[in-house]
Amino acid sequence: MSIPSQDNAIQSGRLMRALIYTLLIFFVLYYLLPLWVMVSNSLKTLDEIHGGDMLAPPRAITFEPWKAAWSTTQVGVEATGLRPYFLNSILMVVPAVLISTFLGALNGYVLTKWSFRGANLVFGLMLLACFIPFQIVLIPMARILGMLGLAGTIPGLVMVHTVYGLGFTTLFFRNYYAAFPTELVRAAQIDGASFFQVFWRILVPSSGPIFVVTIIWQFTNVWNDFLFGASFSSYDSTPITVALNNLVNSSTGVKEYNVHFAGAILAALPTLVVYIVSGRYFVRGLMAGAVKG
C-alpha cells in the first residue's frame, strides 16, 4: 500500500472514531439529562423552580427538600416522609433476594448435576414463569396470601417476589452450572461428599460471578416493583415505590416539585449505588453465564 493510501486510511479511521465518540457523548448526555434535572431541581427552592429554566443549576443550594422528603412531607394521610417506607423496602428486598438466589442456585445444581427424568420439562416450566405477566398472577396470589394469613404483610411481599423471581434465578444458575465439570461432582460423591457438601464446598465457591448477577437482578426488580407493592401491601408494609406515588399525588395545596424530585432520587438511590459499585461485575458475570449451557 502506498503512503498516500495509508494516510487516507488513517484519516478515515480518525474521522470514524471521532464520529463514534461524538454520538456516544450525545447519547450519554441525553441519558443523563433527566438525572441532572432531578438533582438540580431537588437542590432549589420552590420559588426558583417556579421561575422557570429547570435545566439551570441552582442559584442557592438548599437541602431542605431532601430533609422534607425523608422525614416530614405528606405521604398519603401521614406527614412521615419516606423514611418508614424505605425501611419497609429494605425488610422486603433483603430476604426476598437472598431466598430466591439460594433456591435458584439449588435448582440449577439439581437440574444440571443431579439430572433426573423430566428435568428438562421442569426447567421449561420454570422458564415459562419468566414470561408470565404480573397482572395474571394478582388474583391467584391474593387468594393464596389470604389463605396463609400473609395478606398485607412484609412476609407476604417477600413470598410474592421470591416465587416470581425463582424462574429467573433458576435460569441464571442452570446455565452457569451446565458448563461446570461434572467430573468434579462425581469425584466428590465417590469421596463420600453429600448433596449439600458438594453444593457448598465445590459449586458455591466457584459461583461468585453468577451470584453477583442474580443478586443485582433480583435486587433491582424487587426494589423497583410497584404493582405487587400496590396490590399486596397495607399501610404498615407499603414499600417506597408505592409511598413515592402517594407522595407525588398527595394534595396539600402546593405541588412541591423540589421535594418530589428529592423523593424520587431517594427511592432510586439504592439501585444506583448497587450498579455503580458492582456494575462491571454484573456485565462480567452475565457474559460468563451467557456462553454456558
Side-chain angles (χ1 to χ4, degrees):
M1 181 181 294
S2 62
I3 294 178
S5 299
Q6 291 179 349
D7 293 339
N8 291 335
I10 293 174
Q11 291 178 358
S12 299
R14 289 176 177 174
L15 181 62
M16 183 60 65
R17 189 179 297 111
L19 178 61
I20 292 174
Y21 279 119
T22 301
L23 288 174
L24 289 176
I25 292 173
F26 170 77
F27 285 123
V28 167
L29 294 176
Y30 182 79
Y31 182 80
L32 292 178
L33 183 61
L35 180 61
W36 164 252
V37 171
M38 292 173 62
V39 172
S40 63
N41 286 278
S42 69
L43 299 174
K44 296 178 181 178
T45 62
L46 196 57
D47 292 335
E48 186 176 350
I49 293 177
H50 288 162
D53 198 2
M54 299 182 69
L55 295 177
R59 291 193 294 267
I61 294 178
T62 176
F63 291 98
E64 290 303 317
W66 289 75
K67 295 178 182 178
W70 180 249
S71 60
T72 63
T73 195
Q74 190 82 15
V75 179
V77 297
E78 297 289 339
T80 59
L82 294 176
R83 179 171 51 187
Y85 309 102
F86 190 94
L87 179 60
N88 286 345
S89 288
I90 292 292
L91 295 176
M92 173 187 68
V93 169
V94 172
V97 170
L98 293 180
I99 294 172
S100 61
T101 300
F102 174 73
L103 293 179
L106 277 180
N107 289 340
Y109 169 44
V110 171
L111 290 172
T112 55
K113 306 308 175 189
W114 292 74
S115 186
F116 53 91
R117 181 178 297 179
N120 290 332
L121 176 61
V122 172
F123 176 65
L125 292 175
M126 298 195 70
L127 190 61
L128 181 63
C130 299
F131 303 99
I132 297 177
F134 283 16
Q135 295 82 354
I136 292 180
V137 303
L138 290 182
I139 295 178
M141 188 64 72
R143 292 289 301 273
I144 292 174
L145 292 177
M147 293 171 57
L148 296 176
L150 297 176
T153 65
I154 291 179
L157 290 173
V158 171
M159 175 182 170
V160 170
H161 287 293
T162 298
V163 171
Y164 198 86
L166 200 56
F168 291 99
T169 59
T170 300
L171 170 65
F172 293 153
F173 280 99
R174 186 266 180 191
N175 287 349
Y176 192 85
Y177 288 155
F180 189 87
T182 305
E183 292 77 11
L184 292 178
V185 176
R186 298 292 178 260
Q189 291 173 336
I190 292 173
D191 290 338
S194 65
F195 176 89
F196 283 103
Q197 285 177 330
V198 172
F199 178 70
W200 285 113
R201 296 183 181 181
I202 297 179
L203 278 118
V204 170
S206 65
S207 304
I210 202 62
F211 269 107
V212 172
V213 169
T214 306
I215 289 173
I216 294 177
W217 176 273
Q218 279 296 93
F219 182 90
T220 304
N221 285 341
V222 177
W223 185 274
N224 291 335
D225 171 71
F226 176 81
L227 182 60
F228 287 160
S231 301
F232 302 130
S233 67
S234 62
Y235 173 76
D236 294 332
S237 59
T238 301
I240 194 169
T241 49
V242 179
L244 179 63
N245 176 73
N246 296 338
L247 183 154
V248 173
N249 292 316
S250 295
S251 177
T252 57
V254 178
K255 286 291 185 181
E256 298 178 313
Y257 296 107
N258 51 355
V259 176
H260 297 171
F261 283 128
I265 296 173
L266 287 172
L269 197 59
T271 52
L272 288 175
V273 171
V274 167
Y275 272 107
I276 291 173
V277 171
S278 55
R280 60 176 180 174
Y281 301 107
F282 178 82
V283 175
R284 187 182 306 169
L286 194 62
M287 294 302 296
V291 297
K292 297 179 184 293

